[in-house]
């Protein structure tokens, strides 16, 4: 369980194609990051936790991301492999740590993609209704959701087919090739950034300064409800909005020059997303008093009501739909690459470690997650899917920062295409920031994480421990000696 992957570049016989550059990586990061977090979490965090000081919460989350991102950049240059934090943990801290992080991130990506697809279906239905196109309500809701009444009895949904459709469509696109997916993602990112810029530009003149007073509302006596603890709780909440940041590193093995392009892609996407989040949350809390955002599922629509621009509403819906498309795309991409890397290491069945000869993608991984993610989206309501929060990403960031320090001690002379400046200062700062935000999250979130990891340990003991490729190699080497 403590055996480690060798610190060396992966072989190029995996079948994955190295076609991505720094620009494509930044677009992937922005595509996965700017979505549900911008249009929903901003209002939730402001209304329930931080008030107008939610802008500080976004900045704090970004600082933690920056520390971790620099560490990701160093490890990606040394280990330009599919799998992201899973591979880094496996190579630095051992197989068990790698399995825990890989298992954790797979769940987070899967549930996240399902939840976002359900949100996408809701906004798409609203757009279609505005265009006079009406679909059967029972085919747009899960069996747990009531869509109407018949003879005094509630009528429940059958399945959320639009959510299943978008997952299938994007999975097929991903199976066809990474370059085609990256081009589609870039177009979508440009559209949604243009819409966000329109909302910010039109909202600025109608900001009410009194909505910023008090900028940091006094704490109510409960941890996380305003005050400094509220800012911290909000930072942990909005960290989910930075999930796409981690997804960038999952395509290191498909990057032309990982040592140079990966740090640029990671930090570039972080800078763009942080600027958008802070500006957008500043405008949002200026247009709408934070008290009015409590329980508001669509705070952006509420904010637009405080401007005279009715034409902005359909434009925002279009931006949300495009934003969710790119988020789903990159989440599906990230989870398949982590699963692929785990299978190549023997911790999962070999079927998931094969690459299509013509398309250069792990088709079995995409088909598996298309079925799993689609089933979750079809039959579970978003309220249950949304229970997965940012704790898994924070845990992965901690492991990556620890991995950098371990390698600095274990192999200080090994060449590094990119080196985190400041010695141990930045890795330690990243660990502290992420741990503080993890502690600020509620107990139920921790319980879900522990439960899922317990299931993962059963799977590892039943299959991964016995079939590990490294576990077979090491005894063979000892036998030869």
């Amino acid at each position: 369980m403590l055996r480690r992957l060798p610190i060396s570049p992966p072989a190029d016989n995996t079948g994955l194609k190295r076609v991505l550059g720094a620009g494509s990586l930044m677009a992937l990061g922005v595509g996965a990051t700017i979505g549900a977090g911008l249009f929903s979490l901003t209002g939730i965090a402001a209304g329930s936790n931080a008030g107008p000081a939610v802008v500080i919460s976004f900045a704090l989350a970004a600082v933690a991301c920056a520390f971790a991102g620099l560490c990701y950049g160093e490890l990606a240059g040394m280990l330009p492999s599919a799998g992201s934090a899973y591979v880094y943990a496996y190579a630095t801290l051992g197989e068990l740590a790698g399995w825990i992080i890989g298992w954790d991130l797979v769940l987070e990506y899967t549930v996240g993609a399902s939840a976002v697809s359900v949100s996408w279906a809701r906004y798409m239905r609203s757009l279609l209704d505005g265009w006079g196109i009406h679909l059967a309500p029972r085919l747009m809701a899960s069996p747990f959701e009531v869509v109407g009444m018949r003879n005094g009895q509630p009528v429940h949904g059958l399945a959320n087919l639009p959510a299943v459709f978008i997952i299938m469509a994007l999975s097929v696109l991903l199976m066809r090739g990474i370059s085609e997916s990256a081009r589609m993602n870039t177009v979508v990112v440009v559209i949604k950034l243009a819409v966000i810029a329109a909302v910010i530009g039109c909202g600025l003149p109608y900001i009410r300064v009194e909505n910023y007073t008090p900028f940091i509302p006094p704490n109510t006596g409960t941890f996380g409800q305003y005050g400094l603890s509220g800012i911290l709780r909000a930072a942990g909440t909005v960290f989910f909005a930075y999930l796409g940041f981690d997804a960038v590193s999952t395509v290191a093995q498909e990057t032309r020059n990982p040592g140079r392009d990966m740090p640029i892609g990671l930090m570039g996407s972080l800078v763009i997303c942080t600027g958008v989040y802070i500006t957008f949350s500043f405008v949002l809390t200026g247009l709408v008093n934070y008290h009015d955002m409590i329980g508001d599922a669509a705070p952006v629509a509420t904010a637009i009501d405080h401007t005279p621009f009715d034409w902005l509403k359909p434009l925002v819906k279009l931006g949300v739909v495009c934003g969710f498309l790119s988020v789903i795309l990159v989440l599906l991409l990230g989870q398949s690459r982590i699963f692929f890397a785990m299978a190549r290491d023997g911790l999962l069945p070999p079927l998931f470690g094969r690459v299509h000869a013509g398309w250069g993608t792990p088709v079995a991984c995409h088909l598996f997650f298309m079925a799993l993610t689609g089933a979750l989206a079809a039959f579970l309501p978003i309220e249950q899917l949304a229970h997965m929060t940012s704790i898994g990403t924070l845990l992965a960031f901690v492991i990556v920062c620890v991995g950098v320090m371990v390698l600095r001690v274990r192999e200080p002379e090994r060449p590094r295409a990119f080196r985190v400046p400041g010695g141990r200062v930045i890795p330690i700062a990243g660990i502290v920031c992420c741990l503080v935000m993890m502690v600020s999250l509620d107990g139920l979130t921790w319980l879900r994480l522990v439960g899922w990891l317990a299931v993962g340990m059963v799977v590892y003991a039943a299959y991964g421990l016995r079939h590990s490729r490294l576990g077979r190699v090491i005894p063979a080497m000892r036998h030869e000696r």
Side-chain angles (χ1 to χ4, degrees):
M1 292 190 294
L2 297 179
R3 51 196 175 224
R4 301 187 304 270
L5 285 176
I7 308 295
S8 60
D12 287 330
N13 61 357
T14 60
L16 297 176
K17 298 179 179 179
R18 293 191 178 276
V19 295
L20 300 177
S24 296
L25 294 176
M26 280 192 283
L28 286 173
V30 174
T33 305
I34 297 180
L38 183 70
F39 296 109
S40 59
L41 286 183
T42 303
I44 293 171
S48 302
N49 303 119
V54 69
V55 298
I56 301 177
S57 301
F58 273 116
L60 288 176
V63 168
C65 275
F67 292 146
L70 291 169
C71 295
Y72 266 95
E74 178 169 326
L75 293 181
M78 300 174 70
L79 282 164
S81 172
S84 179
Y86 154 72
V87 173
Y88 307 152
Y90 197 168
T92 58
L93 303 177
E95 186 174 278
L96 181 60
W99 170 266
I100 290 174
I101 291 300
W103 185 255
D104 165 55
L105 288 179
V106 163
L107 174 73
E108 189 163 350
Y109 285 167
T110 302
V111 176
S114 300
V116 176
S117 69
V118 173
S119 294
W120 177 89
R122 287 186 177 181
Y123 275 96
M124 196 65 200
R125 178 181 180 181
S126 179
L127 267 181
L128 293 176
D129 287 343
W131 296 337
I133 303 173
H134 304 287
L135 302 180
R138 298 193 71 189
L139 299 180
M140 301 190 70
S142 76
F144 295 93
E145 297 175 279
V146 176
V147 297
M149 301 292 292
R150 180 184 300 165
N151 299 325
Q153 298 296 320
V155 177
H156 292 266
L158 296 176
N160 195 330
L161 295 187
V164 176
F165 166 78
I166 196 59
I167 288 172
M168 292 178 63
L170 293 178
S171 295
V172 170
L173 177 64
L174 287 167
M175 282 186 275
R176 288 287 293 118
I178 186 67
S179 57
E180 292 84 352
S181 304
R183 282 194 292 268
M184 178 267 192
N185 178 73
T186 301
V187 172
V188 171
V189 166
V190 170
I191 292 173
K192 70 177 175 182
L193 287 180
V195 171
I196 291 169
V199 173
I200 293 173
C202 293
L204 275 172
Y206 299 93
I207 286 177
R208 299 176 61 187
V209 178
E210 56 268 29
N211 285 333
Y212 295 126
T213 305
F215 189 74
I216 302 179
N219 184 261
T220 62
T222 302
F223 184 89
Q225 291 185 358
Y226 310 121
L228 295 179
S229 66
I231 294 175
L232 190 61
R233 172 66 62 82
T237 300
V238 301
F239 207 89
F240 177 79
Y242 290 99
L243 175 60
F245 177 75
D246 173 81
V248 175
S249 62
T250 64
V251 294
Q253 202 162 341
E254 292 154 278
T255 302
R256 288 192 292 267
N257 187 353
R260 179 184 68 87
D261 294 340
M262 192 57 65
I264 295 174
L266 287 166
M267 301 310 296
S269 61
L270 176 62
V271 169
I272 294 171
C273 293
T274 302
V276 170
Y277 276 137
I278 290 177
T279 306
F280 195 87
S281 59
F282 179 79
V283 172
L284 192 67
T285 52
L287 290 172
V288 184
N289 188 278
Y290 68 93
H291 286 300
D292 297 332
M293 294 186 193
I294 299 176
D296 189 352
V300 180
T302 304
I304 294 173
D305 288 337
H306 289 71
T307 75
F309 306 111
D310 291 336
W311 55 268
L312 260 182
K313 289 185 178 180
L315 191 62
V316 166
K317 289 179 182 178
L318 177 63
V320 172
V321 168
C322 290
F324 285 168
L325 276 179
S326 57
V327 173
I328 299 168
L329 179 79
V330 183
L331 289 178
L332 291 173
L333 172 66
Q335 66 188 12
S336 67
R337 295 310 187 264
I338 293 175
F339 224 58
F340 169 80
M342 295 173 77
R344 297 283 291 193
D345 292 332
L347 303 184
L348 291 171
L351 171 67
F352 299 112
R354 297 170 187 164
V355 173
H356 190 277
W359 296 340
T361 58
V363 171
C365 290
H366 285 299
L367 289 174
F368 174 78
F369 283 113
M370 181 177 71
L372 177 60
T373 310
L376 291 174
F379 300 116
L380 289 179
I382 191 172
E383 288 76 14
Q384 295 187 31
L385 292 172
H387 286 165
M388 174 53 65
T389 63
S390 53
I391 191 168
T393 306
L394 286 165
L395 178 60
F397 284 6
V398 169
I399 295 298
V400 169
C401 292
V402 171
V404 167
M405 293 197 299
V406 169
L407 280 185
R408 291 282 183 88
V409 174
R410 184 181 296 147
E411 301 186 44
E413 303 303 322
R414 180 173 291 276
R416 288 161 170 80
F418 170 79
R419 192 180 188 92
V420 177
R424 299 184 181 182
V425 174
I426 288 179
I428 291 175
I431 293 170
V432 172
C433 288
C434 292
L435 286 177
V436 167
M437 281 189 283
M438 288 178 71
V439 171
S440 74
L441 295 173
D442 61 275
L444 190 57
T445 297
W446 279 91
L447 186 61
R448 293 191 195 102
L449 176 65
V450 172
W452 175 247
L453 293 182
V455 173
M457 291 305 299
V458 173
V459 176
Y460 175 68
Y463 184 89
L465 189 60
R466 292 183 297 155
H467 294 84
S468 168
R469 179 174 58 84
L470 201 59
R472 296 193 301 268
V473 170
I474 293 177
M477 292 175 61
R478 291 174 179 170
H479 179 72
E480 291 176 359
R481 292 176 183 176

